[in-house]
Amino acid sequence: DGRIKRAFEGAIMVSRDYLSGVEYEGFNLFLGGDLLSGIIHEELRETNAAVITESIVSVVEPLEAGIRLLAEHFGKVHVSSVVGNHGRNTRKPRAKDRATDSFDWLVSKFIEKGLKNDPRVTMNISQAADAHVKLYSHRYCLTHGDQFQGGSGISAALSPLMLGAHRKAKRDAATGNAWDTLVMGHWHTSYFLKGLIVGGSVVGYNEYAYDKNFAYEEPQSAFWLTTPERGITVSAPVFVQHRKSEGW
């Protein structure tokens, strides 16, 4: 709850204190999935702090509060949501009913219900693996990122990410859904490249990342500014770890 709160507060702080003087027309929030650790691995069943139903209840309230906080500061909030791989209800990933059979989708629907009477908030809960959003003339495609696999050596995750982005761009262009920037999570590592944004992880470094020898990265979420004249212009990480209360 604390890290979720600091993510919302941090986004406001960056926009207010570091980008003062900018006139904002609203805020676009990307929920890229994996809102819950889930139960897809036996070890998660053993180490999760709460069962999945308790986790759903515990995450909805701080997300709703954060969205209301954004609405108070920015006036309007549009929430785009896709599901991740940890929220699935099956051991192996499935293409059929990927979205609606996910706990991530359920969390987003609860948030939508809780905010339905708030005219400042609109929501796009995708029924597919991807969601498309247009801000001014800049087109975004939001996906979780688990469709892209592999990566080793010096290039690490960049190879599968760039290859996957190329394939997705080609597919979407052919079906009339061309986009300018692909946004995702999943990789627990942040990248901000031309045409590709990979947000950091609020969960941060864990046993899995350590066991796989992934590079350390402080828990964070991604923030950037989209303008009508230039598209993406400014980006900044929003750090969410409270160093004193979390052992720093």
Side-chain angles (χ1 to χ4, degrees):
D1 291 3
R3 290 188 180 183
I4 293 175
K5 181 180 179 182
R6 285 189 287 276
F8 287 110
E9 291 176 341
I12 292 173
M13 181 186 69
V14 170
S15 65
R16 180 190 61 207
D17 300 339
Y18 293 88
L19 298 175
S20 60
V22 176
E23 187 175 329
Y24 299 96
E25 295 185 44
F27 191 96
N28 193 85
L29 176 64
F30 287 133
L31 295 179
D34 280 2
L35 300 174
L36 308 160
S37 292
I39 51 176
I40 60 174
H41 302 307
E42 192 63 34
E43 62 181 337
L44 293 176
R45 293 179 180 269
E46 298 172 358
T47 60
N48 280 342
V51 298
I52 192 68
T53 48
E54 291 177 302
S55 298
I56 291 172
V57 173
S58 67
V59 78
V60 168
E61 184 176 347
L63 285 172
E64 282 187 14
I67 294 169
R68 288 194 180 97
L69 187 64
L70 292 176
E72 290 172 8
H73 182 76
F74 294 98
K76 293 187 295 184
V77 180
H78 182 66
V79 183
S80 300
S81 173
V82 295
V83 303
N85 60 307
H86 274 259
R88 68 178 185 264
N89 198 24
T90 58
R91 183 176 177 272
K92 293 184 177 181
R94 293 181 179 178
K96 293 287 187 179
D97 298 321
R98 172 188 166 98
T100 54
D101 197 24
S102 169
F103 297 120
D104 288 328
W105 185 85
L106 184 61
V107 168
S108 294
K109 295 299 287 187
F110 279 144
I111 294 172
E112 182 181 50
K113 183 177 181 180
L115 298 174
K116 66 178 181 179
N117 294 323
D118 193 332
R120 303 170 300 177
V121 180
T122 55
M123 295 194 65
N124 170 27
I125 304 173
S126 180
Q127 297 287 101
D130 302 340
H132 291 85
V133 184
K134 187 176 183 180
L135 295 181
Y136 306 116
S137 60
H138 198 89
R139 301 162 298 178
Y140 290 99
C141 175
L142 173 66
T143 193
H144 179 60
D146 58 306
Q147 302 165 36
F148 311 149
Q149 299 178 1
S152 61
I154 296 176
S155 63
L158 287 176
S159 292
L161 286 174
M162 299 309 294
L163 177 60
H166 170 74
R167 290 173 174 171
K168 189 178 289 289
K170 186 176 180 180
R171 180 205 67 185
D172 285 347
T175 56
N177 290 310
W179 42 262
D180 302 297
T181 300
L182 180 66
V183 181
M184 69 177 73
H186 182 67
W187 290 83
H188 288 239
T189 304
S190 58
Y191 293 98
F192 208 97
L193 308 170
K194 183 176 178 61
L196 175 66
I197 298 173
V198 183
S201 169
V202 174
V203 172
Y205 210 70
N206 57 14
E207 300 92 336
Y208 178 80
Y210 181 86
D211 186 61
K212 296 296 183 181
N213 299 310
F214 292 162
Y216 176 78
E217 182 173 282
E218 189 171 338
Q220 60 188 267
S221 59
F223 173 95
W224 66 93
L225 181 65
T226 307
T227 68
E229 300 85 5
R230 303 290 183 183
I232 298 174
T233 56
V234 178
S235 64
V238 175
F239 297 106
V240 299
Q241 185 171 21
H242 192 284
R243 297 192 171 190
K244 291 184 178 179
S245 64
E246 297 188 41
W248 281 59

